[in-house]
Each structure stands twice: as structure tokens, then as C-alpha cells.
Amino acid sequence: MSFGARALIRLGAIRDNFQTIKERSHGARMMAVIKANAYGHGLLPVARCLAGADCFAVARLGEAADLREAGIDTPIALPGGVFSETDLGKALDLELQLGVHTESQLAWLEQFGQADATIWLKIDTGMNRLGFPPHDAPTLIDRLQNCSAVGDLRVMTHLANADNVQDDTTALQIGQFRKIVDAFDGHISIANSAGILGWEKDLDVFAEHRSNGRLWVRPGLALYGISPLADQCGADLGLRPAMRFESRLIAIKALGKGETVGYGGTWRSGRDTVLGIVAAGYGDGYSRFIPAGSPVLVNDRRVKIAGLVSMDLTAVDLGPAATEQIGDPVLLWGDELPVEEVAKHAGTIPYQLVCGITNREESVYED
Ligand SMILES: *Cc1c(COP(=O)(O)O)cnc(C)c1O
């Protein structure tokens, strides 16, 4: 029996989510986003279980190199591209598809000489992060199509507000992107998880691209069974959460009314009660921003955190009638306690919680 927080990852859930997303994408090609250690779920195990993906996307050259070193020969894209000229050579050696969003990335490619690179020209349709302005698209497409290093030119953009299905930014971005790619006969990509699941109908404007195999979707979060849409959980969208972040009680003690708990004595008990001490803390990736009052499940029973999360430990108020024992299981997040809900308590997004697990205890995998 393991004490200490660790993640149980169900690869079967990731595979099921992949199929669900594929169906909701109506035949678009699947670029599975597995950056940041597959959102905390483990880069290589996830890549191996997603053998059906048409391409993987990661954010850093090192992540792509790890995939290649492990023998993964699926196409791999770095949508953010490379950050230096030296890395361009390395990336093309690894046969990576590269995003291009700055004049310097473009210049490195133009100076590279002969190659057969697949390049994703990134257009900024409203995220205002990476990408060239839409009005430059025709000139850039022309330049890249005439660049001897480029074998296959593609065009992409990224949605800023797709998680909010009431917000009209997404429709504007889709309209903007549509104009850019109307006269373009290569591959294109626009939707992340929220785009796929929240804007299914709107994306029908790309039906023609889709039916001739030129539309790509880029799901990340939804692969892991987590909802990309605000105020919904993965299960509401037909997804299965892939991660269970679990631990155990390692101490149980009586606490008198008026006594405080933890560093700084920030929490005071309003009653005589029983405290459980969970072997989980921010050193495991159980964030200190998860405040007192947030739920955890002890033996499938919802209880609340008392005091601040510390590095290795978190106290929970088991209540005066507690019958728990040392060693009893604690669920920090997982099926019965969605990470979306925990994130809301912490004032953050589920992405940050799952990415943040530290693997102090190595994750366990099951099918
Ligand atoms: C991270 C990322 C995605 C995946 O986003 P999700 O919201 O996790 O689906 C897609 N495209 C790009 C460019 C990204 O950086």
C-alpha cells in the first residue's frame, strides 16, 4: 500500500475520450496535444496509448526529442515553432512540423536551404499572443510557398474565448480565419478542445476542408476527460476523467473547539471535532492555493480542508462523529470529485492543477 499523493492514470479513459472527440470533430484530422507531460498524465504512456492520432503537438523541442528518442514515429508538431536558428536545424532533423509566427522564424527558414518541412503559419485572429496579423496572411503564404525549406505549408490560428459559449469572440475569429483560408488549398487548423466541443456547428463553415482531409483539430484538455467549457465537468460532455489524484490518511486526532490548525493558525475550529491528516501537499502538486473549505473525499465521504495546505500534508475536518482510520483512502480529485470543481475553489483552471502534479510518487498506469 502506498502512502503519499500519487496519480492513477487510466489510459483506457484517454483512448475513449480520443474517440469521443474524434466523433465530435466529424472526421477532422486529430492533432493530440500532449505538451507539459501530457497535462501531467505522462508524455510517453499517453503518446503510446494514442496510436490513432494523426499527429502529436508539444510546446518544447525537448518534449519532441523525448518522443522521438522513445521511438514514436507519428508526426509531431511544435505549434509555437523554434526559438533559435540552431534549434531549427535540430527540429528539422527530428522531422518536426513547425509553427511560424515571427519574422525571425521566417528568416531562419528562408536561410535554411533545401528541406521538406511542414510549416504551420500562425495567424493571430484575436488571441493577441502568437501570430501574424490577418492582413499579412496573403504575403506570408506567398513567401513561405516560395521558400525552399518548406514542403507543405499549412495555416493555423488559436481561439481565445472558446470556453465561454456565450462570448461572440469565437464567431468573429472563425469568420476572420475563414476569410484567410478561403483561397488557400493547404491544410488548416483552428479548434482546441473548447472549439471542438463548444462550437461544433460554427465549425461547419470548414466542412469542405474537413471532407477533403485538410481540417485539423487540436484537442488537449478534453483528451484527459476534463471539460474545457466553463461550468461543466468532463462527465457532462461524455468524457471520462483519466486522472485520479489519491492519497491516504496518515494521522487522526481530536481537535478542541477554538483550536487552530496549521501554519499561521489561519483556521480555527468552531466545534470539538476530529482532524484527519492527509499525506498530500504542494510538494506533490496539491496546490497551496486550494483553500480551507475545499472538498476532498475520505472513504468516498466529502469533507473539507482545515487550514493551509503545507508541503507534504493537508489537514481535513472529519467531523465529531468520524470513524476513519489511519490508512484510509483520500481522493484529492478524480471521478467523484472533478478537478474542475477543485480548480474553482482554488481560483484557477483544471489545466494548472493536473499539469502541476510533481510525481514525487510515480504515477501508476492502468488500462
Ligand atoms: C495547448 C494548445 C492546444 C490545446 O488546447 P486545449 O484547450 O487543452 O484543448 C491547442 N492548440 C495550441 C496552439 C495550444 O497551444
Side-chain angles (χ1 to χ4, degrees), residues 33 35 39 79 122 129 156 158 191-194 218-222 228 351:
V33 181
K35 61 193 177 188
Y39 294 48
K122 197 158 188 174
R129 197 177 56 179
M156 68 178 288
H158 194 50
N192 56 358
S193 298
R218 310 189 305 272
L221 193 70
Y351 296 76

Side-chain angles (χ1 to χ4, degrees), residues 349-367:
I349 50 176
Y351 296 76
Q352 191 179 26
L353 294 184
V354 290
C355 280
I357 70 160
T358 61
N359 277 294
R360 178 152 69 170
E361 300 257 353
E362 233 173 277
S363 295
V364 175
Y365 290 87
E366 67 175 40
D367 207 44

Side-chain angles (χ1 to χ4, degrees), residues 92 109-110 112-119 147-151:
L92 295 184
L109 267 179
E110 287 177 330
F112 189 81
Q114 198 64 37
D116 190 25
T118 296
I119 295 299
C147 174
S148 57
V150 179

Side-chain angles (χ1 to χ4, degrees), residues 157-287:
T157 194
H158 194 50
L159 299 171
N161 293 8
D163 61 312
N164 179 353
V165 294
Q166 316 299 339
D167 188 297
D168 55 11
T169 310
T170 303
L172 293 172
Q173 287 192 266
I174 290 173
Q176 177 88 265
F177 192 60
R178 166 91 200 276
K179 273 192 246 155
I180 294 165
V181 299
D182 243 3
F184 176 73
D185 60 5
H187 291 213
I188 63 166
S189 180
I190 178 165
N192 56 358
S193 298
I196 299 163
L197 298 172
W199 300 84
E200 204 171 344
K201 286 275 168 303
D202 299 71
L203 291 170
D204 278 343
V205 299
F206 301 110
E208 199 184 315
H209 291 85
R210 192 160 59 204
S211 61
N212 49 37
R214 293 191 286 126
L215 181 69
W216 289 78
V217 291
R218 310 189 305 272
L221 193 70
L223 288 172
Y224 310 101
I226 304 169
S227 169
L229 304 178
D231 303 319
Q232 284 189 286
C233 287
D236 301 332
L237 299 168
L239 302 171
R240 293 177 59 201
M243 183 188 290
R244 290 177 67 82
F245 197 32
E246 304 170 320
S247 188
R248 291 185 186 274
L249 290 178
I250 57 160
I252 292 172
K253 66 202 321 166
L255 185 79
K257 180 177 175 179
E259 290 193 276
T260 65
V261 174
Y263 287 117
T266 57
W267 187 87
R268 190 179 296 276
S269 185
R271 58 179 178 177
D272 288 341
T273 188
V274 176
L275 272 191
I277 310 300
V278 184
Y282 57 82
D284 302 296
Y286 191 67
S287 171

